[in-house]
Amino acid sequence: MPQMNGSEIIIRLLEKQGIEIVAGIPGGANLPLYHALSGSKIRHILARHEQGAGFIAHGMARSTGKAAVCFGTSGPGATNLLTAIADAKLDSVPIVAITGQVPSSMIGTDAFQEVDTYGMTLPITKHNFLVRSAEELLCVIPEAFRIAESGRPGPVVVDVPKDVQKESIHVDTLSEMDSPVHPKYELDLDDISLFNEMLQKSEKPVLLIGGGVIMSDAIEQVSAFARKNNIPVATTLMGLGCFPPDDLLYIGMVGMHGARYANMIMDETDLVIALGMRFDDRATGKVDAFCPNASIIHVDVDRSEIDKIKTSSLSIIADLSTALDQLLPTVEENMRSDWIEHVKSLKKNNALQPPKISDPYHPIHLLKTINQLADPDAIYTTDVGQHQMWAAQWIPITYPRQFLTSGGLGTMGFGMPAAIGAALANPEKQVICISGDGSILMNIQELATIRDHDLNVKILIFNNGNLGLVRQQQEYFYEKVYSGTQFESLPDFAVIASGFGIRSQKLGNEPDPSNALKEALDMKGPVLLDIPIHVAENVTPMVPPGSANSVMIGE
Amino acid sequence: MIQQTNTIIELEVQNHAGVMSHITGLFSRRGFNLEGILCGQIGDGSASRMYLLVNEDKFLEQIVRQLEKLYDVRSVTIRPDYDHTLFDKLHDLIKIGKPA
Ligand SMILES: Cc1ncc(C[n+]2csc(CCOP(=O)(O)OP(=O)(O)O)c2C)c(N)n1
Ligand SMILES: [Mg+2]
C-alpha cells in the first residue's frame, strides 16, 4: 500500500472501521472524497438535504449503537449538517461527520463556499478536527470514532480541506483499529457500602433511568437490580424501552408529559437512584421542587453531569453496566411490600386516561391501533410535537433502541430521515415514522431517498392542520391567541408522496382507518398515510413550563 | 478591577491552533465568566500552559469538570495559591509557572 491520497486514506479507514453505509451529498470541496468512495464497497446513500443525511446517520447510530457517518461539502453543506450534529450532541449519539473544506491555502480568504466549520461546530460536538495534512488523517479518523463511541457518546466533526483530500503520501500500513479500550471503573468499596446503606434506609426508593442505560447496554442489570430490591422504575423520554412497560415495577416516563402517578411517585420518593440520566428540565420540571423529599444517588459515565443540575448525596462515575455488575451482588433482597402496594394504588388511581370518546381517529386510539397492527419488534421514529408525546405515552416500548426520538434538541424533521437510517441499518425490520403535518415538511425531500432504496418505512402523518404542541401552549398559557400556529394552506401529502413514487393514501373518508392502516403495515415497502386528527386534542397531563411536576394540567 | 473572589485555573493543553477556541468557547457556551487568560508554550512546544482567571463561585466545580472533558486538555488544577494580581504582570507569572 505505497502511495495513497487523503481521500483514499479516509475511505480505507472507514472500511476498516466497519462502516458499510455513508449518507451524504457531494459538492466542490469533497469531490476527491466522493471519487475515492466510488471505488469502495461502502454503500452511499444520497440524501436530498444534508440535514437529511445527518439524521439518516442518527437513525443508523441510534438503532445500532455504533457510530454512523455522514458527508457534506464545505459552506452550505456543512451549515446544513449543523442541526443534526447539535441533535447528536444533546442526545449523545455517536456520529462522525466528515466535511469538505476549501483548500488550506484559501482558508480565511472568504473563498467560494467557505465557512468556519471548525468554529461553528465547536460548541455542538464532543470534539472536532480541522485536518492539516494527509498524514494527520491516519490518526484523526480512528480517533474520531474512538471519541464518538467512548464514554458518553457524541458527534465528532472532521473538516478536511480539499488539498488534504488530494495530498498523496506514502503509507506503509494503515494501523489496525484498536478496539476501544474500556476503562475498568472499579467501584470504591466505600461508595458501595454507602450505596447500600442509603438503599437500606430508604423506604420509598425509585430508579430513574435515562438513555445512558441503553448506551451502556445495562438493560438486564437494571432489571435484575430493580427486581432484587423491588424498586419502582421511572424513565426519561430517552430511557423508554429499558424496562418492560407492563411490569408492576414500571412507572414510566416522568416530567412534562409523564403520567400523573409517575410525577406523584417522584414527589413522594425518599431516594432517587439516577442511572444514566442528566436531570433534563423536561423531566424534572422546576428543579428545586423535583423529588423534594429524596436523597439522590447519581451514577453516570460523564463526571460533569454530577451535581450539574441536582446535587447528589452519592455519585458514582462509571459505565453503568460495569457499575451495576459490581453493585448487584452486594444489594440485599427486599420485598418493600408497603411501598410497592402504595405505588400500585397510585398507578391505579392516577393512570393516563384513554380518550372518553371512541372516535377511531382520536390520536390515542390511532396509536393503539397502529401498535396492535405493527410488528412487535418494529422500530418507531417520531418527529416533534403532540404526536411525539402521545407516542411516548401510549406506545408500549419494549426494547431498547426501538423508539428513536429527538429528545434534547427536539428537532422537527428528525422523524423521516431517522426512519431511513433505521431501515438501512435494520433491513429486516418494519420502521414506523409517527409524524406531524408541520414536522414532515421539514425534511419531506427525503421521500426521494426512501424511493431510491424502496425502504420498508411507514410514514404516518397525524394531521391536525396546526403546529399542535405550540398551539396547545397558546391555548393554556397565552390566552388562546393562536399566533403563527395554524397553517393557511393544507398540502395534499398523499399527492406529494405519489409524486415521489411512494404509495400513499389520505384517510378520513372511511369511518374506521384500521383497514387502511393494516394494509399499509402489512405490505412490504414504503407507504405514507395522511391521517386527519382533531385539532382540539391536547397532550395531557401537562406540567406548565417552569412549574413543579406536581402541577399538572389535565388527566 | 480584579476582585478578591477570583481564583486561577491552571491548564496544560495540547498546543495547536484550535485549543484556545475550545477553551474560550466552553466559557461562552456555558455562560461562565472568564476574567483573564495567560498562555505560553512549555517544553518542546507540543504543549502549552494556560492560566485562567475565573470567579470563585458555585460554577467552579462545573467549569473544572467541563474543562477536563476537552480532548486537548491534559490537566486541570485550581491554584488558589497563585497570586492573581500577577495577571497584571504577565512575565512574573510565566516564571512561576515553569515546570520544576
Ligand atoms: C425545527 C423546529 N422548529 C420549531 C420547533 C418548535 N415546535 C415544537 S413542536 C412544534 C409543532 C410541531 O407541529 P407538528 O409537526 O404538526 O406536530 P403536532 O404538534 O401538531 O403533533 C413546533 C413548531 C421545533 N421543535 N423544531
Ligand atoms: Mg400538526
Side-chain angles (χ1 to χ4, degrees):
Chain A
M1 213 182 295
Q3 290 294 120
M4 289 176 83
N5 68 27
S7 304
E8 288 159 356
I9 292 172
I10 293 174
I11 298 297
R12 283 290 295 132
L13 287 171
L14 293 183
E15 288 169 351
K16 277 189 163 260
Q17 193 66 43
I19 295 300
E20 292 169 3
I21 301 173
V22 167
I25 301 186
N30 65 359
L31 271 167
L33 190 59
Y34 269 84
H35 190 67
L37 180 62
S38 70
S40 162
K41 60 180 195 304
I42 294 175
R43 181 175 172 202
H44 180 250
I45 302 298
L46 176 61
R48 299 307 199 270
H49 185 299
E50 287 83 356
Q51 189 185 113
F55 283 132
I56 289 171
H58 272 255
M60 298 192 281
R62 288 179 189 244
S63 66
T64 63
K66 295 207 198 71
V69 179
C70 53
F71 284 173
T73 189
S74 67
T79 54
N80 277 349
L81 279 173
L82 293 180
T83 302
I85 294 167
D87 197 293
K89 176 76 162 63
L90 283 180
D91 283 350
S92 306
V93 183
I95 300 283
V96 174
I98 301 179
T99 48
Q101 182 54 278
V102 302
S104 307
S105 61
M106 293 170 79
I107 288 182
T109 65
D110 302 315
F112 178 64
Q113 295 193 327
E114 180 188 2
V115 294
D116 178 10
T117 303
Y118 184 83
M120 286 192 307
T121 55
L122 204 133
I124 55 168
T125 49
K126 187 170 172 192
H127 190 60
N128 57 358
F129 296 94
L130 171 55
V131 184
R132 306 281 171 176
S133 66
E135 184 76 38
E136 261 184 46
L137 284 168
L138 295 170
C139 79
V140 164
I141 298 292
E143 207 39 17
F145 281 90
R146 193 192 59 75
I147 296 168
E149 289 181 339
S150 64
R152 178 183 183 172
V156 177
V157 166
V158 183
D159 195 30
V160 192
K162 192 171 184 180
D163 55 307
V164 175
Q165 295 172 43
K166 291 195 289 188
E167 185 194 351
S168 187
I169 59 169
H170 185 84
V171 182
D172 283 329
T173 48
L174 290 172
S175 61
E176 278 310 311
M177 295 286 166
D178 331 322
S179 38
V181 226
H182 294 294
K184 284 257 171 5
Y185 297 116
E186 200 74 56
L187 297 202
D188 193 304
L189 288 180
D190 290 344
D191 285 351
I192 296 183
S193 55
L194 181 55
F195 185 96
N196 281 301
E197 201 178 300
M198 290 175 74
L199 185 58
Q200 274 157 19
K201 257 200 229 134
S202 163
E203 286 172 3
K204 303 170 167 191
V206 167
L207 282 176
L208 178 53
I209 63 178
V213 173
I214 298 176
M215 290 162 206
S216 97
D217 261 327
I219 318 293
E220 274 167 34
Q221 289 95 325
V222 166
S223 152
F225 182 70
R227 286 172 218 288
K228 189 167 182 191
N229 200 273
N230 274 293
I231 313 172
V233 179
T235 84
T236 66
L237 179 66
M238 301 309 290
L240 292 175
C242 291
F243 204 78
D246 53 1
D247 196 290
L248 253 176
L249 288 173
Y250 187 65
I251 52 183
M253 188 169 76
V254 299
M256 186 173 272
H257 293 294
R260 274 185 170 266
Y261 64 78
N263 286 333
M264 292 166 86
I265 293 167
M266 298 313 283
D267 248 29
E268 283 193 31
T269 173
D270 61 4
L271 177 67
V272 173
I273 304 171
L275 304 178
M277 59 81 63
R278 60 176 175 90
F279 295 96
D280 178 80
D281 53 88
R282 296 287 128 147
T284 64
K286 188 176 174 214
V287 178
D288 301 336
F290 182 63
C291 306
N293 305 307
S295 311
I296 290 177
I297 299 176
H298 196 175
V299 189
D300 202 286
V301 73
D302 181 354
R303 175 177 234 282
S304 70
E305 288 303 338
I306 307 298
D307 299 342
K308 185 183 84 177
I309 306 287
K310 216 42 192 168
T311 310
S312 50
S313 310
L314 167 64
S315 59
I316 296 175
I317 297 142
D319 167 62
L320 264 183
S321 52
T322 324
L324 290 174
D325 279 342
Q326 291 169 65
L327 286 167
L328 195 56
T330 70
V331 168
E332 65 176 13
E333 290 183 26
N334 194 335
M335 291 307 289
R336 300 196 182 276
S337 326
D338 290 352
W339 177 227
I340 297 301
E341 269 314 305
H342 183 58
V343 165
K344 215 162 127 186
S345 88
L346 282 176
K347 275 177 81 167
K348 187 158 165 257
N349 299 322
N350 302 278
L352 284 177
Q353 294 300 310
K356 299 208 166 43
I357 50 168
S358 60
D359 178 8
Y361 283 95
H362 187 288
I364 293 172
H365 290 313
L366 282 171
L367 285 165
K368 288 183 159 186
T369 310
I370 291 162
N371 183 241
Q372 273 159 19
L373 296 169
D375 292 350
D377 67 346
I379 295 175
Y380 293 89
T381 73
T382 76
D383 265 303
V384 172
Q386 291 178 313
H387 61 276
Q388 173 192 33
M389 290 298 119
W390 281 315
Q393 289 179 333
W394 292 96
I395 300 177
I397 304 298
T398 348
Y399 310 102
R401 308 192 180 284
Q402 191 184 13
F403 186 69
L404 313 184
T405 199
S406 168
L409 198 66
T411 312
M412 293 168 69
F414 170 89
M416 186 168 44
I420 295 175
L424 287 165
N426 305 269
E428 74 294 349
K429 285 195 180 162
Q430 185 181 53
V431 181
I432 300 173
C433 169
I434 307 287
S435 187
D437 52 317
S439 297
I440 195 68
L441 285 171
M442 292 221 183
N443 273 316
I444 189 90
Q445 76 288 342
E446 299 309 326
L447 283 173
T449 312
I450 294 183
R451 175 69 268 204
D452 286 350
H453 307 282
D454 213 22
L455 299 167
N456 194 20
V457 172
K458 318 295 176 186
I459 301 145
L460 309 177
I461 302 175
F462 283 43
N463 191 342
N464 53 14
N466 277 262
L467 297 167
L469 195 59
V470 183
R471 183 193 182 280
Q472 171 170 344
Q473 298 216 33
Q474 292 172 331
E475 179 180 337
Y476 289 162
F477 314 120
Y478 289 86
E479 297 139 39
K480 301 193 163 89
V481 176
Y482 298 119
S483 173
T485 43
Q486 187 173 4
F487 294 121
E488 302 275 332
S489 66
L490 303 172
D492 188 332
F493 292 113
V495 172
I496 291 173
S498 64
F500 280 95
I502 288 180
R503 290 246 324 236
S504 57
Q505 194 182 338
K506 182 174 182 160
L507 306 188
N509 291 327
E510 52 287 89
D512 189 339
S514 304
N515 281 340
L517 283 167
K518 183 166 169 33
E519 200 184 314
L521 290 169
D522 282 351
M523 62 170 269
K524 259 287 200 210
V527 188
L528 180 147
L529 296 183
D530 182 2
I531 315 172
I533 63 168
H534 206 284
V535 57
E537 297 302 345
N538 284 338
V539 187
T540 57
M542 176 176 195
V543 176
S547 297
N549 281 350
S550 51
V551 186
M552 288 173 271
I553 300 173
E555 294 189 323
Chain B
M1 281 312 295
I2 295 166
Q3 280 148 29
Q4 262 344 88
T5 51
N6 284 349
T7 191
I8 289 175
I9 299 175
E10 181 179 282
L11 300 179
E12 203 170 300
V13 301
Q14 249 142 256
N15 186 16
H16 69 83
V19 175
M20 188 67 97
S21 316
H22 273 276
I23 309 276
T24 55
L26 176 74
F27 278 78
S28 54
R29 140 131 165 74
R30 299 238 172 224
F32 303 141
N33 281 325
L34 180 55
E35 308 289 343
I37 307 182
L38 295 175
C39 182
Q41 274 186 16
I42 53 172
D44 63 359
S46 71
S48 299
R49 188 159 300 164
M50 290 173 83
Y51 300 92
L52 311 178
L53 185 66
V54 301
N55 297 156
E56 188 162 13
D57 57 19
K58 64 177 171 139
F59 295 115
L60 188 58
E61 191 61 36
Q62 179 61 204
I63 293 177
V64 169
R65 288 175 182 175
Q66 294 293 350
L67 284 167
E68 282 170 345
K69 280 209 296 185
L70 293 179
Y71 180 78
D72 293 314
V73 171
R74 293 177 182 172
S75 71
V76 184
T77 328
I78 301 177
R79 303 304 305 239
D81 53 323
Y82 285 175
D83 175 4
H84 54 65
T85 58
L86 289 179
F87 258 77
D88 301 332
K89 297 182 240 159
L90 181 103
H91 293 290
D92 294 4
L93 187 75
I94 297 247
K95 223 180 285 162
I96 295 167
K98 278 254 168 71

